[in-house]
Amino acid sequence: MSRTCGETMNSWARYLIFFQYMGTRYNGAVKVPPHQLHKKGVQDHLEDAIRRLRPVNPVSLSVSSRTDTGVHALSNSAHFDLQRKNDKPPFSEDILVQALNFHLRTEQIRVTRAYRVPDNFHARFRAQSRTYVYRIALGIPHQSLLPLTDYELCWNLHNMELDVRAMREAAALLVGVHDFSSFRAVNSDISFKSPVKTLDVASIQPGSSFVQTHFHREIPFWELTFTSRSFLYKQVRRMTGALVAVGQGQLSVPQLKEVLEARDSLAYPQGIIAPAHGLFLARVDYKETDLQFSPQPSGDQFISSGNVED
């Protein structure tokens, strides 16, 4: 945001917020074009809440991670500028969180933390890494058999078992620097973004139902975790679908390697992409030094959006 000479700097501030949402009822994380407003994006609702604080400046939120329709977030992040009327001082971080959540109370969106950050901070470009978690429930032929707390919050499979050893072998092939063109869905950004990404983590670990100790039977869960500085469009869902296909015996480990090495979105097998509702953006990480409003010498410690219980 550019500031005019007449603005009083004491009332102006840039904030970074971390926020959660259940993606089922929203048209993705970012703003929806006006002709599609029958189902808003999470950004639309956050900007509406910020406008209710009556800032002087136009409200514009920059979201760090653009999750798709139906994808959830345990912690996404965004920055925005806010100038209060009548030269009032900027909101404290705690008051800002409370005020935004008051105006979001009818939505499945919650702001968990806020930081006042330097004027040149950018939530998307300063992010050091993003971590996604994909939840899978086994032995569930239909979503209606899931606990209510897991409904539309995992991918339910008929299988009682997956070949996890083969899945982990396949996941290891994805870790490192690769051209992930085969795992990118086609969209309008395809000509502008490099398909070469560094995947730092691709792990497969046992998970659990959100109400495991209180449900009448135990449901086997698995969690697939992926960490990278950034991802391509639908890359995580396509990697997850391929790994599950390996676990089900539909795709061999050498075949997955061939898909990766093809570097062609058309090489990705049809009909195996994982559905959106099992995917969670778990955290977005920043260097602590990038978040310091009054910069002080310090090491490259990290501030993470992952610990939402602070």
Side-chain angles (χ1 to χ4, degrees), residues 5-19:
C5 295
E7 288 180 2
T8 305
M9 295 301 100
N10 290 339
S11 63
W12 184 92
R14 175 164 291 190
Y15 295 97
L16 169 70
I17 57 171
F18 294 109
F19 54 97

Side-chain angles (χ1 to χ4, degrees), residues 29-200:
V30 298
K31 187 191 295 280
V32 174
H35 65 276
Q36 297 180 9
L37 280 181
H38 63 284
K39 190 175 185 181
K40 292 183 177 182
V42 173
Q43 179 180 350
D44 293 300
H45 292 284
L46 286 168
E47 290 185 351
D48 287 346
I50 296 168
R51 288 188 192 96
R52 298 288 293 273
L53 305 181
R54 300 182 180 180
V56 173
N57 59 298
V59 173
S60 180
L61 197 71
S62 294
V63 179
S64 74
S65 305
R66 304 177 181 187
T67 59
D68 293 332
T69 300
V71 175
H72 317 289
L74 298 175
S75 204
N76 203 339
S77 59
H79 79 264
F80 63 94
D81 299 325
L82 192 149
Q83 182 189 2
R84 299 184 69 189
K85 291 182 178 180
N86 302 323
D87 199 27
K88 292 181 180 178
F91 290 108
S92 71
E93 294 153 344
D94 290 343
I95 292 297
L96 180 66
V97 170
Q98 293 176 31
L100 291 176
N101 283 336
F102 176 80
H103 295 302
L104 289 164
R105 63 191 182 279
T106 60
E107 298 298 328
Q108 292 185 333
I109 304 168
R110 289 295 177 271
V111 177
T112 57
R113 283 184 292 166
Y115 291 87
R116 189 173 178 186
V117 290
D119 296 357
N120 63 352
F121 178 87
H122 198 289
R124 182 180 175 191
F125 300 124
R126 292 293 179 91
Q128 296 299 299
S129 68
R130 295 162 173 86
T131 297
Y132 284 88
V133 174
Y134 199 102
R135 303 180 69 241
I136 296 171
L138 300 184
I140 305 293
H142 193 272
Q143 279 207 62
S144 63
L145 299 177
L146 286 165
L148 186 61
T149 50
D150 292 296
Y151 184 78
E152 293 191 326
L153 299 174
C154 64
W155 184 10
N156 56 290
L157 299 177
H158 292 255
N159 310 62
M160 279 303 297
E161 293 184 1
L162 293 172
D163 186 346
V164 175
R165 178 178 294 181
M167 291 173 67
R168 286 173 173 160
E169 183 182 349
L173 297 174
L174 301 175
V175 174
V177 182
H178 300 287
D179 182 328
F180 282 99
S181 293
S182 297
F183 293 91
R184 170 169 61 179
V186 176
N187 72 342
S188 59
D189 292 338
I190 198 165
S191 301
F192 307 104
K193 291 187 178 180
S194 170
V196 177
K197 298 291 180 182
T198 302
L199 186 63
D200 299 308

